[in-house]
Amino acid sequence: MPVQFDAVLFLKSVSSSPGVYRMYDAEDVVIYVGKAKDLKKRLSSYFRKNLVHVKTQALVSHIANIDVTVTHSETDALILENDYIKQYMPRYNVLLRDDKSYPYILLSHHKHPRLAYHRGPKRDKGTYFGPYPNGGAVRESLHLMQKIFPIRQCDDLYYKSRSRPCLQYQIGRCSAPCVDKITSEEYESQVKLASLFLKGKNQQVMVELVSKMEACAQSREYEKAASYRDQISALRRVAEQQQVSGTSGDMDVIGAHYASGVACFHLLFIRDGKIFGSRSYYPSVPAQTDMDEVLSAFMIQFYLNGDSQRTLPKEILLSQSFGDLPQLEKAIQAALDKKVEIKTNVRSERANFLRLAVTNATNAVNTRLSHKNTVEQRFLLLEEALEMTTRVQRMECFDISHTMGESTVASCVVFNREGPNKADYRRYNIHGITPGDDYAAMKQAITRRFDKMDKTGKIPDILFIDGGLGQLRIAQKIVDEKFADLDTPPMLIGIAKGEGRKPGLETLIYGENELSFSIAADSGALHLIQHIRDESHRFAITGHRNKRQKTRNTSTLESIAGVGPKRRKALLQFLGGIQEVKSASVAEMAKVPGISVDMAQKIHDSLRG
């Protein structure tokens, strides 16, 4: 039933000043946050007799209380609204889930500086270049840098432990400063050129390299001149591949597209006249939201996110305007103490950038809608194949992964009507079972998944078990016990591999009556089952491999009594790695700070026991 709220009484006491309002439902949960130049006028519009928008009708029907905060100006209201949206995440607001940090390239301040990927607080000493739109853009840039500038990218521990050049030196992608294959002066020269390149000053780098090549040729250092020639050639190839803006400075170019409830904002990040990369954002949009609100909400949340380490450009190009644009510009300048221009009407090269961004945003939305339609169709076919009378909203699939019983991991992946719901994925580290006992592993995973389950929990409509009848029986028994007092237990279906493990030959088994059945190999229903099964297997094996690698890297020292984190760190750093520790003599171990002769003997014996 709709919540009764006395709007007439409430509006009598509302101020006409600018401010922010929070709307609560009957459970005292914030369901919407808004701002207004005139609070009384704006809030009165919600309680008119004839509301046009379906979204507003739904919102008003759930209002149980409204809280108002008066501000000094519209700009203050806009900033406060953004803070409240981040705090409460109301379901009727457009919500953007942005990263807390952006990746950078770090050029460290060592004797021989290294180029490295960096994300998070800038604690390490050095020069930071970026931010880049995503980790892939950073790694691609580092890969290009290796081809042009022979600067080390290895970590300090590896660098300090070298006694001879590594493979990167052999293939011409590092100058091996670790073993003095290059002088400090020459290395510093390459570092300076790399720094200029990262700042977008390609032409200056080219001029300096040409100058060095000619100087070496005149002094008859032909091998050195040839290396500079190759460097120039590599730089030219990279420059041809990179699109460079004719305008100097920094810009964010934003193309927006919104259709059928799906919104995409495609950003081109331009820094120092060079495209650093691009990225698409998909804010969560409540049904029946208009474009003006989507634009305003995205821009506010993206550019007033104080937690982000994003560097704000002086110029932002947006594909279309919205009502709060002038206030947003003032709010950004007030909050970040920086002059920023937001432009929607541009010409020439800027207009080309905007068209490119809009094209990408449009394609992204169309692709998402196509995917959603495909998934929806597959769900309908699955409901038909299983003769279900209720609509399937949530499916889960469990799988077990291990290597001969080592580092057993169970995975639980979740699909909804839009496809994989990765926020609900879970992994379970399996302990206390006989190695290789898949039945016990499945029992532990299902038990932990449905432990303390009640009616308010996330109950799947279908629970798939990637395994045969044995694992299915175990899962069905636990589900029957856990859901004895509940009315809505999930339907269990086992997925047994077919002959030769070929896709399309799977046998499906109902958990309740253990009847086997199959679905045509070309059916969308089977394709959906295969998709969730394959995703479960991928998620399980990834977790297992990570756990196995961690166990193999650390267990040899962690299992030795008296060797704690500090001693392990000292051993690995002083000797250069776990393999070097294993091959070290007692005398060599005893030289490590904090390791006595007796402890060295104990470690030596344990590693060879």
Side-chain angles (χ1 to χ4, degrees):
M1 285 182 62
V3 180
Q4 296 300 317
F5 175 68
D6 193 341
V8 176
L9 181 63
F10 168 75
L11 290 171
K12 286 180 180 179
S13 61
V14 175
S15 167
S16 295
S17 302
V20 176
Y21 53 92
R22 287 170 286 175
M23 295 176 169
Y24 296 80
D25 63 11
E27 297 177 359
D28 205 32
V29 174
V30 177
I31 57 175
Y32 188 75
V33 172
K35 64 183 178 305
K37 182 179 181 180
D38 183 326
L39 282 168
K40 191 178 188 74
K41 189 175 179 181
R42 180 72 183 93
L43 287 168
S44 297
S45 69
Y46 285 99
F47 302 103
R48 292 181 304 210
K49 288 185 179 179
N50 298 316
L51 288 173
V52 178
H53 296 294
V54 177
K55 176 195 170 186
T56 308
Q57 294 173 9
L59 170 62
V60 171
S61 71
H62 288 88
I63 296 174
N65 187 28
I66 299 178
D67 187 16
V68 169
T69 304
V70 175
T71 60
H72 293 295
S73 66
E74 284 184 78
T75 300
D76 291 341
L78 193 145
I79 294 171
L80 183 59
E81 180 199 30
N82 177 59
D83 291 338
Y84 279 151
I85 288 173
K86 285 196 298 181
Q87 180 180 347
Y88 296 110
M89 304 293 284
R91 71 173 183 266
Y92 284 102
N93 282 94
V94 177
L95 300 176
L96 172 67
R97 298 182 182 274
D98 191 17
D99 287 340
K100 294 295 182 185
S101 64
Y102 282 72
Y104 287 77
I105 288 179
L106 168 63
L107 184 60
S108 67
H109 283 178
H110 289 101
K111 177 187 176 183
H112 295 130
R114 66 183 285 247
L115 283 168
Y117 176 100
H118 179 87
R119 187 191 287 271
K122 299 176 183 177
R123 297 194 183 100
D124 297 334
K125 292 181 180 179
T127 305
Y128 292 85
F129 299 92
Y132 286 77
N134 50 56
V138 175
R139 293 185 181 93
E140 183 181 351
S141 294
L142 286 172
H143 184 66
L144 286 174
M145 296 287 288
Q146 273 193 324
K147 294 179 178 179
I148 304 170
F149 307 102
I151 298 173
R152 73 179 183 96
Q153 295 189 15
C154 60
D155 60 48
D156 294 340
L157 188 64
Y158 187 81
Y159 165 76
K160 291 175 183 176
S161 66
R162 298 305 304 175
S163 58
R164 57 191 176 86
C166 67
L167 182 62
Q168 293 299 317
Y169 172 78
Q170 305 294 340
I171 61 176
R173 298 199 174 177
C174 181
S175 51
C178 52
V179 290
D180 299 324
K181 290 290 185 180
I182 185 174
T183 65
S184 294
E185 292 77 16
E186 288 175 334
Y187 191 82
E188 185 59 37
S189 173
Q190 289 295 326
V191 168
K192 179 185 173 184
L193 292 172
S195 179
L196 289 171
F197 177 80
L198 285 168
K199 291 175 181 176
K201 299 178 180 178
N202 297 20
Q203 198 57 42
Q204 188 175 337
V205 176
M206 194 78 76
V207 169
E208 290 203 26
L209 285 174
V210 170
S211 175
K212 289 175 181 290
M213 180 183 71
E214 290 175 348
C216 288
Q218 287 176 4
S219 59
R220 298 187 179 182
E221 296 177 87
Y222 297 119
E223 287 187 10
K224 225 174 188 181
S227 70
Y228 284 126
R229 178 203 61 202
D230 295 341
Q231 206 171 355
I232 292 166
S233 177
L235 182 59
R236 280 201 176 118
R237 283 197 300 271
V238 169
E240 287 170 2
Q241 293 169 6
Q242 290 180 326
Q243 184 177 355
V244 179
S245 168
T247 57
S248 60
D250 300 344
M251 289 187 295
D252 281 357
V253 182
I254 307 174
H257 188 70
Y258 176 46
S260 302
V262 176
C264 176
F265 290 84
H266 188 82
L267 271 71
L268 299 176
F269 295 82
I270 298 174
R271 299 295 182 266
D272 295 310
K274 183 169 65 176
I275 295 181
F276 260 36
S278 62
R279 185 170 181 174
S280 293
Y281 294 86
Y282 303 91
S284 174
V285 182
Q288 306 299 323
T289 305
D290 59 41
M291 184 59 170
D292 217 47
E293 184 179 348
V294 174
L295 280 165
S296 176
F298 173 81
M299 295 295 288
I300 290 167
Q301 293 177 49
F302 188 77
Y303 285 106
L304 291 181
N305 183 1
D307 296 331
S308 173
Q309 296 177 4
R310 187 189 312 108
T311 302
L312 195 68
K314 294 179 181 178
E315 192 176 9
I316 299 169
L317 308 185
L318 183 60
S319 58
Q320 52 190 293
S321 185
F322 58 93
D324 291 330
L325 191 55
Q327 287 76 24
L328 174 65
E329 201 170 71
K330 292 177 184 176
I332 292 173
Q333 293 175 2
L336 305 177
D337 193 25
K338 181 174 182 177
K339 186 177 180 181
V340 176
E341 288 186 277
I342 303 177
K343 300 177 181 178
T344 55
N345 293 319
V346 290
R347 293 179 295 177
S348 187
E349 187 180 27
R350 284 175 168 79
N352 289 334
F353 279 135
L354 268 179
R355 278 194 291 272
L356 178 62
V358 171
T359 298
N360 279 280
T362 304
N363 289 340
V365 169
N366 292 338
T367 300
R368 282 217 162 191
L369 288 173
S370 174
H371 172 70
K372 284 177 69 175
N373 291 337
T374 301
V375 173
E376 177 66 22
Q377 185 63 31
R378 288 179 175 181
F379 264 87
L380 293 172
L381 289 170
L382 181 63
E383 290 165 354
E384 182 182 337
L386 300 179
E387 299 180 353
M388 299 190 71
T389 56
T390 58
R391 184 177 169 87
V392 177
Q393 296 289 359
R394 181 184 177 96
M395 304 191 307
E396 297 182 8
C397 183
F398 277 78
D399 189 22
I400 306 295
S401 182
H402 59 80
T403 301
M404 299 181 69
E406 179 190 358
S407 303
T408 304
V409 170
S411 71
C412 171
V413 302
V414 181
F415 275 37
N416 57 27
R417 303 291 292 203
E418 295 183 356
N421 182 14
K422 295 190 177 182
D424 283 358
Y425 281 20
R426 295 291 181 269
R427 286 195 186 101
Y428 301 92
N429 289 322
I430 306 301
H431 304 288
I433 66 168
T434 303
D437 188 345
D438 286 356
Y439 293 171
M442 184 62 73
K443 180 179 179 180
Q444 187 177 132
I446 299 290
T447 301
R448 288 165 62 182
R449 165 63 181 91
F450 294 110
D451 193 30
K452 300 178 182 178
M453 177 61 68
D454 58 27
K455 291 181 180 179
T456 62
K458 295 179 178 179
I459 301 173
D461 299 296
I462 303 176
L463 181 63
F464 291 104
I465 303 298
D466 187 10
L469 186 58
Q471 292 189 49
L472 181 62
R473 282 174 177 167
I474 292 284
Q476 185 68 56
K477 182 179 179 182
I478 295 166
V479 168
D480 289 342
E481 292 172 357
K482 297 293 181 182
F483 285 84
D485 300 325
L486 298 177
D487 299 328
T488 55
M491 173 191 288
L492 264 68
I493 297 178
I495 309 172
K497 297 177 179 65
E499 183 181 349
R501 297 175 175 259
K502 292 180 180 178
L505 300 179
E506 295 89 350
T507 299
L508 305 174
I509 311 167
Y510 285 114
E512 192 172 10
N513 53 26
E514 298 184 1
L515 290 176
S516 299
F517 67 101
S518 60
I519 298 176
D522 60 351
S523 169
L526 183 61
H527 296 162
L528 181 60
I529 294 173
Q530 290 169 339
H531 188 181
I532 193 170
R533 186 269 317 275
D534 293 344
E535 182 68 356
S536 173
H537 181 66
R538 178 200 66 78
F539 194 58
I541 202 166
T542 301
H544 159 65
R545 284 171 177 166
N546 292 340
K547 183 182 177 185
R548 183 183 63 190
Q549 191 61 41
K550 183 178 179 182
T551 301
R552 291 179 178 178
N553 285 347
T554 59
S555 62
T556 49
L557 288 176
E558 284 185 347
S559 60
I560 302 172
V563 181
K566 288 185 178 179
R567 281 178 171 162
R568 282 200 304 274
K569 185 177 180 181
L571 282 163
L572 292 170
Q573 285 188 336
F574 194 88
L575 295 173
I578 189 65
Q579 296 303 323
E580 285 74 9
V581 173
K582 288 180 178 180
S583 61
S585 65
V586 174
E588 288 172 328
M589 286 189 200
K591 293 177 183 178
V592 176
I595 305 295
S596 65
V597 175
D598 290 341
M599 178 55 72
Q601 186 65 57
K602 183 178 182 179
I603 296 169
H604 184 273
D605 294 343
S606 298
L607 293 176
R608 287 161 178 75

